[in-house]
Amino acid sequence: MARRSMETVAAHVGEDLVPAATRPVSMPIYQTSVFAFPDLDTVEAVYKGDSDAFLYSRMAHPNGSALEAAVAELEGGESGLAAASGMAVINDVLCGTLGPGDHAVVTAECYGGTFGLFEGPLRRRGVTVTYVAAADAPSVAEAIRPATRVVYVESISNPTTRVADVPALAELYRERGLVLVVDNTFATPYLFQPLAHGAHVSLSSATKFLAGHSDVTAGVAAGTREIIGAARSYHTTTGATIDPFAAWLTLRGLKTLALRVQRHSENALRLARFLDGHGRVEKVFYPGLESHLDHSLAARLLPSGNGGMLSFVVGGGMEGANRFIRALKLCQFVPSLGDVGTTVSHPALTSHRAMSEEARLRLGITGGMVRVSVGIEAVGDILADFEQALAKI
Ligand SMILES: Cc1ncc(COP(=O)(O)O)c(C=O)c1O
């Protein structure tokens, strides 16, 4: 064959796949925006849904699909969806389900970004919302109207760690034909599987414990074919696609999910008990503590552990919290969660700043509240860092 010109060679480098008798143990990253087709019949089969070949990466790509399959299996769902962030997947699920005139009942104790989504884009879409103080069946039942289509709760709420009574809520929707959506970010499917308790969708910010190393932004959902299908249709049209490397990183993180979450839970219980007895701490929120409002519900629904998230209120209000955060040496102040390292955050000034002060105070989110994402370090080192920092407030 005649030698190809420099320009042509350059434009086609890397197109020939290396044939091999072995396959890589780690999934390759399919860093391609589109796939090549041999002919019109093949492309037609994909558009008609007769082939599951990949076509264009905004719609689907191998790394994203592998993540979707993994999450569907972990959550026990018929179908999975991966998106560019937790907020993107929440938006996909809600916009796939809710239209003008629909009503949603939402836990008041939800992530501030979710609250912002309901209050901004969804209200402008013509969706009305009622917030309920507790994610239990009586409070939700009272808020339900004829137009109610969705009930939205967090299995463990951010930042007050209230536990949603998902089985009781599922009974309620069964009677009334509602869609129950559960944000499972704090619990992860290792500790709690909302779908097994009757929810239609379990979704998570995979940025947190699922990926687990603060190096990726991603969101995942699993649920019934019908609801995830509607979310996917909205998702591919609007394009909040996860990129192949982010999907790959999330899959890699998932490999150690069980080990990490076990250790996060053990360390968090130890830290919660330490803080609970500390003179400079006014209140501790952790479902594993007997003093927690939902302790018996947590014992029933979360038998393998209560996860890595806890919150506490330091003496001295906002100033006390600031002094505590400044004094930490090992644990960093990070407005996120789910890392292998222990991090702290300040809900009033970060995750929940979209809420009015009045609404925050009603939930107990005061200036002195510090939220902790307890890592997998040697627990003695975490306790020592908290001890020395509390001594300085
Ligand atoms: C409980 C919960 N859900 C959803 C989100 C949104 O996820 P992301 O930041 O990946 O968009 C967060 C983010 O902090 C969260 O804490």
Side-chain angles (χ1 to χ4, degrees), residues 141-363:
E142 213 171 290
I144 285 174
R145 307 178 193 162
T148 305
R149 172 108 178 95
V150 161
V151 174
Y152 187 101
V153 300
E154 296 185 359
S155 46
I156 303 178
S157 75
N158 179 3
T160 45
T161 69
R162 294 296 307 269
V163 178
D165 194 347
V166 175
L169 292 170
E171 275 302 313
L172 200 66
Y173 91 68
R174 233 174 252 125
E175 283 165 25
R176 307 189 194 223
L178 304 176
V179 175
L180 178 59
V181 181
V182 180
D183 182 331
N184 205 28
T185 302
F186 276 27
T188 81
Y190 177 72
L191 295 176
F192 185 65
Q193 289 141 39
L195 305 175
H197 292 279
H200 290 91
V201 178
S202 174
L203 53 80
S204 298
S205 166
T207 314
K208 319 297 183 189
F209 292 102
L210 295 185
H213 298 74
S214 296
D215 52 11
V216 63
T217 303
V220 292
T224 61
R225 203 161 282 117
E226 187 197 343
I227 306 288
I228 296 295
R232 181 183 300 286
S233 165
Y234 177 87
H235 169 88
T236 48
T237 308
T238 50
T241 312
I242 190 167
D243 99 278
F245 186 43
W248 185 91
L249 280 170
T250 307
L251 276 168
R252 191 180 61 167
L254 282 176
K255 290 179 191 229
T256 55
L257 180 72
L259 288 174
R260 286 187 287 106
V261 174
Q262 276 166 23
R263 180 68 169 247
H264 284 299
S265 298
E266 286 161 21
N267 283 358
L269 184 58
R270 287 281 301 277
L271 181 63
R273 286 187 176 142
F274 165 81
L275 292 170
D276 203 29
H278 199 287
R280 302 216 164 142
V281 172
E282 290 175 1
K283 188 166 180 173
V284 184
F285 301 80
Y286 188 66
L289 287 179
E290 275 172 12
S291 55
H292 190 277
L293 275 172
D294 299 322
H295 178 67
S296 53
L297 189 58
R300 180 156 54 85
L301 297 185
L302 305 164
S304 316
N306 293 270
M309 297 307 298
L310 65 85
S311 299
F312 68 102
V313 178
V314 290
M318 182 90 80
E319 254 318 298
N322 210 4
R323 280 196 291 274
F324 170 76
I325 285 168
R326 276 201 198 106
L328 286 170
K329 292 184 175 142
L330 175 72
C331 308
Q332 301 189 69
F333 171 31
V334 167
S336 185
L337 59 110
D339 196 283
V340 287
T342 300
T343 61
V344 301
S345 181
H346 189 268
L349 286 189
T350 63
S351 52
H352 289 68
R353 69 182 299 142
M355 259 181 204
S356 70
E357 191 180 4
E358 193 200 338
R360 278 199 305 265
L361 292 179
R362 226 179 300 127
L363 299 176

Side-chain angles (χ1 to χ4, degrees), residues 4-67:
R4 296 191 298 176
S5 69
M6 187 74 80
E7 292 86 344
T8 304
V9 170
H12 288 273
V13 288
E15 283 178 1
D16 293 328
L17 298 179
V18 183
T22 53
R23 63 182 181 89
V25 171
S26 170
M27 186 183 191
I29 301 168
Y30 289 78
Q31 192 63 41
T32 183
S33 60
V34 68
F35 295 79
F37 285 81
D39 53 31
L40 297 182
D41 304 332
T42 318
V43 86
E44 187 63 10
V46 173
Y47 274 106
K48 279 183 161 163
D50 296 338
S51 158
D52 53 9
F54 294 99
L55 192 155
Y56 185 59
S57 290
R58 193 190 72 237
M59 297 165 175
H61 52 75
N63 300 100
S65 297
L67 175 59

